[in-house]
PDB file of all heavy atoms in Angstrom:
ATOM      1  N   THR D  30      18.069 -10.313  -5.007  1.00  0.00           N
ATOM      2  CA  THR D  30      16.730  -9.995  -4.922  1.00  0.00           C
ATOM      3  C   THR D  30      15.984 -10.187  -6.355  1.00  0.00           C
ATOM      4  O   THR D  30      16.546  -9.719  -7.276  1.00  0.00           O
ATOM      5  CB  THR D  30      16.397  -8.565  -4.467  1.00  0.00           C
ATOM      6  OG1 THR D  30      17.278  -8.293  -3.343  1.00  0.00           O
ATOM      7  CG2 THR D  30      14.998  -8.282  -4.063  1.00  0.00           C
ATOM      8  N   GLN D  31      14.792 -10.798  -6.253  1.00  0.00           N
ATOM      9  CA  GLN D  31      14.135 -10.976  -7.436  1.00  0.00           C
ATOM     10  C   GLN D  31      12.627 -10.099  -7.262  1.00  0.00           C
ATOM     11  O   GLN D  31      12.148 -10.216  -6.131  1.00  0.00           O
ATOM     12  CB  GLN D  31      13.698 -12.284  -7.907  1.00  0.00           C
ATOM     13  CG  GLN D  31      14.997 -13.135  -8.282  1.00  0.00           C
ATOM     14  CD  GLN D  31      15.822 -13.474  -7.109  1.00  0.00           C
ATOM     15  OE1 GLN D  31      15.313 -13.882  -6.039  1.00  0.00           O
ATOM     16  NE2 GLN D  31      17.176 -13.390  -7.253  1.00  0.00           N
ATOM     17  N   TYR D  32      12.178  -9.485  -8.257  1.00  0.00           N
ATOM     18  CA  TYR D  32      11.001  -8.625  -7.947  1.00  0.00           C
ATOM     19  C   TYR D  32      10.010  -9.073  -9.117  1.00  0.00           C
ATOM     20  O   TYR D  32      10.303  -9.329 -10.280  1.00  0.00           O
ATOM     21  CB  TYR D  32      11.344  -7.207  -8.432  1.00  0.00           C
ATOM     22  CG  TYR D  32      12.460  -6.574  -7.705  1.00  0.00           C
ATOM     23  CD1 TYR D  32      13.721  -6.705  -8.119  1.00  0.00           C
ATOM     24  CD2 TYR D  32      12.233  -5.987  -6.455  1.00  0.00           C
ATOM     25  CE1 TYR D  32      14.845  -6.095  -7.416  1.00  0.00           C
ATOM     26  CE2 TYR D  32      13.313  -5.352  -5.718  1.00  0.00           C
ATOM     27  CZ  TYR D  32      14.523  -5.537  -6.190  1.00  0.00           C
ATOM     28  OH  TYR D  32      15.634  -4.905  -5.439  1.00  0.00           O
ATOM     29  N   TYR D  33       8.762  -9.330  -8.679  1.00  0.00           N
ATOM     30  CA  TYR D  33       7.665  -9.638  -9.504  1.00  0.00           C
ATOM     31  C   TYR D  33       6.657  -8.488  -9.380  1.00  0.00           C
ATOM     32  O   TYR D  33       6.105  -8.337  -8.263  1.00  0.00           O
ATOM     33  CB  TYR D  33       6.944 -10.872  -9.010  1.00  0.00           C
ATOM     34  CG  TYR D  33       7.950 -12.133  -9.011  1.00  0.00           C
ATOM     35  CD1 TYR D  33       8.658 -12.397  -7.869  1.00  0.00           C
ATOM     36  CD2 TYR D  33       7.948 -12.911 -10.176  1.00  0.00           C
ATOM     37  CE1 TYR D  33       9.564 -13.570  -7.970  1.00  0.00           C
ATOM     38  CE2 TYR D  33       8.804 -14.011 -10.181  1.00  0.00           C
ATOM     39  CZ  TYR D  33       9.534 -14.295  -9.019  1.00  0.00           C
ATOM     40  OH  TYR D  33      10.427 -15.348  -9.045  1.00  0.00           O
ATOM     41  N   TYR D  34       6.333  -7.816 -10.497  1.00  0.00           N
ATOM     42  CA  TYR D  34       5.549  -6.562 -10.440  1.00  0.00           C
ATOM     43  C   TYR D  34       4.100  -6.806 -11.226  1.00  0.00           C
ATOM     44  O   TYR D  34       4.238  -7.567 -12.147  1.00  0.00           O
ATOM     45  CB  TYR D  34       6.286  -5.464 -11.227  1.00  0.00           C
ATOM     46  CG  TYR D  34       5.371  -4.337 -11.588  1.00  0.00           C
ATOM     47  CD1 TYR D  34       5.179  -3.343 -10.633  1.00  0.00           C
ATOM     48  CD2 TYR D  34       4.882  -4.330 -12.888  1.00  0.00           C
ATOM     49  CE1 TYR D  34       4.274  -2.212 -11.022  1.00  0.00           C
ATOM     50  CE2 TYR D  34       4.113  -3.152 -13.218  1.00  0.00           C
ATOM     51  CZ  TYR D  34       3.773  -2.139 -12.251  1.00  0.00           C
ATOM     52  OH  TYR D  34       3.031  -1.061 -12.689  1.00  0.00           O
ATOM     53  N   THR D  35       3.166  -6.402 -10.725  1.00  0.00           N
ATOM     54  CA  THR D  35       1.905  -6.320 -11.506  1.00  0.00           C
ATOM     55  C   THR D  35       1.075  -5.111 -11.040  1.00  0.00           C
ATOM     56  O   THR D  35       0.994  -4.684  -9.973  1.00  0.00           O
ATOM     57  CB  THR D  35       1.157  -7.778 -11.087  1.00  0.00           C
ATOM     58  OG1 THR D  35       0.015  -7.699 -12.042  1.00  0.00           O
ATOM     59  CG2 THR D  35       0.583  -7.657  -9.857  1.00  0.00           C
ATOM     60  N   ASP D  36       0.378  -4.702 -12.099  1.00  0.00           N
ATOM     61  CA  ASP D  36      -0.599  -3.642 -11.921  1.00  0.00           C
ATOM     62  C   ASP D  36      -2.065  -4.111 -12.347  1.00  0.00           C
ATOM     63  O   ASP D  36      -2.860  -3.303 -12.594  1.00  0.00           O
ATOM     64  CB  ASP D  36      -0.233  -2.295 -12.446  1.00  0.00           C
ATOM     65  CG  ASP D  36       0.069  -2.233 -13.953  1.00  0.00           C
ATOM     66  OD1 ASP D  36      -0.171  -3.298 -14.548  1.00  0.00           O
ATOM     67  OD2 ASP D  36       0.535  -1.304 -14.404  1.00  0.00           O
ATOM     68  N   THR D  37      -2.028  -5.375 -12.705  1.00  0.00           N
ATOM     69  CA  THR D  37      -3.323  -5.952 -13.219  1.00  0.00           C
ATOM     70  C   THR D  37      -3.753  -7.255 -12.451  1.00  0.00           C
ATOM     71  O   THR D  37      -2.840  -7.885 -11.989  1.00  0.00           O
ATOM     72  CB  THR D  37      -3.180  -6.318 -14.816  1.00  0.00           C
ATOM     73  OG1 THR D  37      -2.053  -7.286 -14.929  1.00  0.00           O
ATOM     74  CG2 THR D  37      -2.967  -5.103 -15.616  1.00  0.00           C
ATOM     75  N   ASP D  38      -4.923  -7.562 -12.634  1.00  0.00           N
ATOM     76  CA  ASP D  38      -5.430  -8.809 -11.922  1.00  0.00           C
ATOM     77  C   ASP D  38      -5.318  -9.995 -12.953  1.00  0.00           C
ATOM     78  O   ASP D  38      -4.926  -9.841 -14.073  1.00  0.00           O
ATOM     79  CB  ASP D  38      -6.815  -8.661 -11.413  1.00  0.00           C
ATOM     80  CG  ASP D  38      -7.871  -8.344 -12.370  1.00  0.00           C
ATOM     81  OD1 ASP D  38      -7.732  -8.567 -13.592  1.00  0.00           O
ATOM     82  OD2 ASP D  38      -8.975  -7.784 -11.936  1.00  0.00           O
ATOM     83  N   ALA D  39      -5.851 -11.199 -12.547  1.00  0.00           N
ATOM     84  CA  ALA D  39      -5.874 -12.398 -13.290  1.00  0.00           C
ATOM     85  C   ALA D  39      -6.540 -12.070 -14.662  1.00  0.00           C
ATOM     86  O   ALA D  39      -6.246 -12.839 -15.643  1.00  0.00           O
ATOM     87  CB  ALA D  39      -6.416 -13.597 -12.686  1.00  0.00           C
ATOM     88  N   GLY D  40      -7.550 -11.303 -14.715  1.00  0.00           N
ATOM     89  CA  GLY D  40      -8.283 -11.025 -15.939  1.00  0.00           C
ATOM     90  C   GLY D  40      -7.650  -9.854 -16.794  1.00  0.00           C
ATOM     91  O   GLY D  40      -8.335  -9.626 -17.832  1.00  0.00           O
ATOM     92  N   GLY D  41      -6.474  -9.345 -16.401  1.00  0.00           N
ATOM     93  CA  GLY D  41      -5.802  -8.341 -17.312  1.00  0.00           C
ATOM     94  C   GLY D  41      -6.389  -6.870 -16.927  1.00  0.00           C
ATOM     95  O   GLY D  41      -5.953  -6.009 -17.539  1.00  0.00           O
ATOM     96  N   ASP D  42      -7.231  -6.800 -15.885  1.00  0.00           N
ATOM     97  CA  ASP D  42      -7.773  -5.495 -15.529  1.00  0.00           C
ATOM     98  C   ASP D  42      -6.864  -4.805 -14.565  1.00  0.00           C
ATOM     99  O   ASP D  42      -6.280  -5.382 -13.692  1.00  0.00           O
ATOM    100  CB  ASP D  42      -9.148  -5.518 -14.912  1.00  0.00           C
ATOM    101  CG  ASP D  42     -10.265  -6.034 -15.879  1.00  0.00           C
ATOM    102  OD1 ASP D  42     -10.044  -5.787 -17.168  1.00  0.00           O
ATOM    103  OD2 ASP D  42     -11.025  -6.839 -15.513  1.00  0.00           O
ATOM    104  N   GLN D  43      -6.760  -3.350 -14.702  1.00  0.00           N
ATOM    105  CA  GLN D  43      -5.988  -2.549 -13.887  1.00  0.00           C
ATOM    106  C   GLN D  43      -6.397  -2.757 -12.415  1.00  0.00           C
ATOM    107  O   GLN D  43      -7.530  -2.753 -12.077  1.00  0.00           O
ATOM    108  CB  GLN D  43      -6.038  -1.041 -14.144  1.00  0.00           C
ATOM    109  CG  GLN D  43      -5.483  -0.142 -13.199  1.00  0.00           C
ATOM    110  CD  GLN D  43      -4.018  -0.134 -13.170  1.00  0.00           C
ATOM    111  OE1 GLN D  43      -3.346  -0.092 -14.172  1.00  0.00           O
ATOM    112  NE2 GLN D  43      -3.410  -0.318 -11.961  1.00  0.00           N
ATOM    113  N   LEU D  44      -5.466  -2.958 -11.494  1.00  0.00           N
ATOM    114  CA  LEU D  44      -5.801  -3.025 -10.089  1.00  0.00           C
ATOM    115  C   LEU D  44      -6.134  -1.611  -9.635  1.00  0.00           C
ATOM    116  O   LEU D  44      -5.548  -0.655 -10.012  1.00  0.00           O
ATOM    117  CB  LEU D  44      -4.538  -3.424  -9.232  1.00  0.00           C
ATOM    118  CG  LEU D  44      -3.955  -4.803  -9.487  1.00  0.00           C
ATOM    119  CD1 LEU D  44      -2.673  -4.959  -8.746  1.00  0.00           C
ATOM    120  CD2 LEU D  44      -4.921  -5.859  -9.234  1.00  0.00           C
TER     121      LEU D  44
END
Side-chain angles (χ1 to χ4, degrees):
T30 311
Q31 294 74 37
Y32 306 93
Y33 300 88
Y34 165 84
T35 189
D36 59 6
T37 59
D38 64 20
D42 296 324
Q43 170 69 52
L44 300 174

